[in-house]
Amino acid sequence: MTPATDAAAAGHQLPQSIDILKIMQSIPHRYPFLLIDKMVEIHAGQSAIGIKNVTVNEPFFQGHFPSHPVMPGVLIVEAMAQTAATLVVMTLGEAFEGKLVYFMTIENAKFRRPVGPGDQLRIHVDKERSRANVWKFKGVARVDGVAVAEATFSAMIMG
């Protein structure tokens, strides 16, 4: 962690879970592009798990694919990024709520099996490093404990 992140993480305890309202307070994403419903097992400046309940009503299923609905892999990676962004904002505090976070890199993305209606994604994100306003994470999305997607990504929070 950077000294600023150390201070932010040490300065306040984060709740063990947060609901959709706190997620919406933390990041600017909204329907239909808000892709996490809840966060659990939150460790300030380090890791968290985002929950995405995948339903047949998701707008992307209309075209991907109507007769065999599959959640697009890029949206799973986006859900990883939203989980990480919420963790970063919660770690840094109120001054960063609603700030934009931009992808800088996506590396080693792997998609292991399709995700569809009825699945619950548990999106594990772990910080690899942070420098100033750039954070790098490793993300793994699981359904029923089985990895369905993974990626390493970095993003910049715009202050």
Side-chain angles (χ1 to χ4, degrees):
M1 278 197 215
T2 64
T5 307
D6 283 336
H12 65 284
Q13 277 295 98
L14 297 183
Q16 276 297 302
S17 69
I18 61 167
D19 63 14
I20 190 67
L21 296 176
K22 183 62 177 170
I23 292 168
M24 291 172 64
Q25 185 178 333
S26 298
I27 60 176
H29 303 76
R30 296 295 180 264
Y31 178 85
F33 214 70
L34 181 56
L35 298 173
I36 54 174
D37 299 314
K38 181 179 180 178
M39 285 178 51
V40 297
E41 298 182 35
I42 303 162
H43 302 280
Q46 294 300 315
S47 65
I49 298 174
I51 306 292
K52 168 64 177 161
N53 296 305
V54 182
T55 72
V56 74
N57 297 321
E58 307 288 351
F60 47 79
F61 286 143
Q62 293 176 27
H64 198 267
F65 303 97
S67 62
H68 184 76
V70 175
M71 184 174 184
V74 296
L75 294 183
I76 297 172
V77 174
E78 174 65 24
M80 291 177 194
Q82 289 180 19
T83 301
T86 302
L87 173 64
V88 169
V89 168
M90 291 187 66
T91 297
L92 296 177
E94 288 181 17
F96 288 87
E97 287 180 358
K99 299 290 183 186
L100 296 178
V101 180
Y102 294 110
F103 268 127
M104 294 178 65
T105 65
I106 301 171
E107 303 168 320
N108 302 316
K110 295 182 176 91
F111 305 99
R112 309 227 178 259
R113 81 162 187 83
V115 173
D119 287 339
Q120 183 183 70
L121 282 174
R122 292 182 62 84
I123 304 151
H124 301 249
V125 296
D126 292 290
K127 183 191 82 167
E128 289 191 340
R129 66 177 171 268
S130 62
R131 238 177 278 149
N133 60 341
V134 177
W135 293 62
K136 185 171 186 176
F137 284 88
K138 167 78 173 165
V140 178
R142 294 184 170 93
V143 173
D144 297 327
V146 177
V148 297
E150 63 186 76
T152 301
F153 53 93
S154 63
M156 177 184 296
I157 186 166
M158 303 306 287

